[in-house]
Amino acid sequence: MNQSVTLESLQLHFPSAMIGRSLVIHANCFDWLQAVPENTLHAMVTDPPYGLKEYEYEQIAKRNKGEGGIWRIPPSFDGHERSPLPRFTALNAKERGILKDFFIEWGRMALRALRPGAHIFLASSTFLSQMVFSAIVESGLEFRGEVIRLVQTLRGGDRPKNAEQEYPNVASLPRGSYEPWGLFRKPIPLGMRVSDCLREYGTGGLRRLPDGNPFSDVIPSERTPKKERAIADHPSLKPQSFLRQVVYAALPLGTGILADPFMGSGSTIAAAEALGLCSVGVERHNAYYHMSLEVIPKLSGLEHPIQGHHRRLFS
Ligand SMILES: C[S@@+](CC[C@H](N)C(=O)[O-])C[C@H]1O[C@@H](n2cnc3c(N)ncnc32)[C@H](O)[C@@H]1O
């Protein structure tokens, strides 16, 4: 067991920077995960590229030029201009096969780098979660359920296309009101109980809320606030109010190293930083890696992004 692995040592041979207790790395996470010593990481919280295509260099360039590609502007039903969203439904059977293989391979790499009993929180979408989660299970990780982020999305709810007048009382899909996050665990070694795993590896369970109540798998959330979007111009930015709750739960003893292998602008790392936890983020795209260096100190410095009951608990 790698009791002695330090956060700094996880930069390996990749370009990187330390920000507070966080390490950010510019790399393809497949290369990085392969180089991480076995049984090292205590948890992962990550938001992968679901459609695979949308974060290809060519597709990001098209989005930046407003040329579309897989990125489409959702219909503006209330007069507000929408940001482009990736069209996951655009994946054909072959691309779905590629997506499945991608997650099986990624899951195997994550499995090797994680400590026994370590959890992964994996953001997904209602369309693809079933396939992505099965692929992760095929890689050897245990399925431990889902965390439902309650948030009004812009997907679904439309009347049948070109027959809106004819079928005014029909919606072709429900209006999306949640985002599923898969919860997985690296199997606990045979004969060990959660308590043994906590003692041996510092993993195995989830951290309770600061008031002693268990972490719940339904989290009332919000769209990412304007204030955060003004700090981080990333198309898939997640809100601090949600991430801070998940990151808190992911390290059962409040110690260890949490990783986000698809870091984007660094919102997960900022959440860990805000809670005083050690984390490592990996991003392949040069512009997003550099963006994270600016974004992490700003997002982590935001006070009280958590609303209601949880705000009192986490502030
Ligand atoms: C869905 S976004 C995550 C955004 C993040 N939730 C945020 O709030 O900024 C996925 C990110 O993974 C990056 N990415 C895609 N493939 C990667 C890979 N193989 N290794 C590392 N990063 C990758 C993309 O460039 C993109 O920034």
Side-chain angles (χ1 to χ4, degrees):
M1 184 55 41
N2 293 292
Q3 301 293 3
S4 60
V5 168
T6 61
L7 189 61
E8 288 84 350
S9 71
L10 293 180
Q11 58 189 249
L12 304 159
H13 53 280
F14 300 98
S16 63
M18 285 295 299
I19 306 173
R21 294 168 203 249
S22 321
L23 172 67
V24 292
I25 296 177
H26 183 204
N28 181 328
C29 69
F30 284 80
D31 299 336
W32 181 75
L33 283 169
Q34 205 159 30
V36 168
E38 205 176 339
N39 298 326
T40 294
L41 306 169
H42 294 74
M44 281 186 193
V45 172
T46 198
D47 172 21
Y50 318 119
L52 299 184
K53 269 175 151 177
E54 76 274 24
Y55 284 104
E56 292 301 331
Y57 296 109
E58 176 194 302
Q59 294 292 335
I60 296 177
K62 282 190 177 173
R63 180 184 186 275
N64 292 345
K65 283 193 211 153
E67 280 178 8
I70 199 169
W71 293 91
R72 292 292 146 95
I73 309 266
S76 170
F77 48 83
D78 53 6
H80 288 101
E81 174 139 354
R82 306 282 176 210
S83 299
L85 286 175
R87 284 188 313 150
F88 299 131
T89 43
L91 298 179
N92 60 33
K94 187 172 162 220
E95 288 165 340
R96 291 172 81 85
I98 295 172
L99 184 72
K100 191 173 167 215
D101 293 344
F102 174 92
F103 279 104
I104 294 175
E105 194 192 347
W106 182 83
R108 287 192 183 126
M109 293 201 170
L111 187 69
R112 199 192 65 81
L114 288 168
R115 293 177 163 233
H119 282 87
I120 303 182
F121 288 77
L122 189 80
S124 190
S125 81
T126 45
F127 274 121
L128 298 174
S129 59
Q130 166 266 337
M131 183 179 51
V132 170
F133 295 175
S134 319
I136 296 285
V137 169
E138 214 171 309
S139 73
L141 284 145
E142 260 181 281
F143 182 62
R144 301 285 292 169
E146 285 178 55
V147 174
I148 301 300
R149 174 183 164 216
L150 289 177
V151 59
Q152 194 72 50
T153 75
L154 294 169
R155 295 187 194 285
D158 300 324
R159 297 192 169 82
K161 212 171 172 183
N162 301 327
E164 291 85 353
Q165 311 284 332
E166 197 178 346
Y167 297 108
N169 298 324
V170 176
S172 40
L173 267 179
R175 161 64 50 77
S177 303
Y178 75 95
E179 180 179 81
W181 283 61
L183 183 61
F184 303 91
R185 189 172 69 176
K186 176 161 172 172
I188 289 178
L190 216 61
M192 267 195 169
R193 290 164 301 185
V194 170
S195 53
D196 302 320
C197 203
L198 284 163
R199 279 182 214 112
E200 179 78 18
Y201 307 117
T203 57
L206 297 171
R207 197 174 182 188
R208 285 175 176 260
L209 300 179
D211 69 357
N213 278 314
F215 172 76
S216 164
D217 57 11
V218 177
I219 302 187
S221 187
E222 57 182 341
R223 295 228 198 105
T224 306
K226 250 193 187 145
K227 196 170 166 185
E228 294 175 31
R229 284 187 280 123
I231 294 173
D233 182 19
H234 190 292
S236 309
L237 185 69
K238 302 286 178 198
Q240 287 295 295
S241 54
F242 175 78
L243 287 174
R244 290 188 189 180
Q245 295 179 58
V246 171
V247 162
Y248 187 90
L251 293 172
L253 304 181
T255 56
I257 300 174
L258 178 132
D260 182 352
F262 299 104
M263 169 180 74
S265 61
S267 54
T268 307
I269 305 305
E273 194 60 25
L275 298 168
L277 302 168
C278 286
S279 66
V280 48
V282 184
E283 172 60 44
R284 185 182 66 166
H285 198 266
N286 190 37
Y288 295 147
Y289 167 73
H290 285 287
M291 184 188 286
S292 76
L293 306 179
E294 305 274 316
V295 159
I296 293 168
K298 291 184 187 161
L299 285 184
S300 65
L302 290 178
E303 279 184 32
H304 307 313
I306 299 173
Q307 302 300 314
H309 173 63
H310 287 116
R311 171 174 170 158
R312 286 196 302 282
L313 292 176
F314 283 89
S315 55

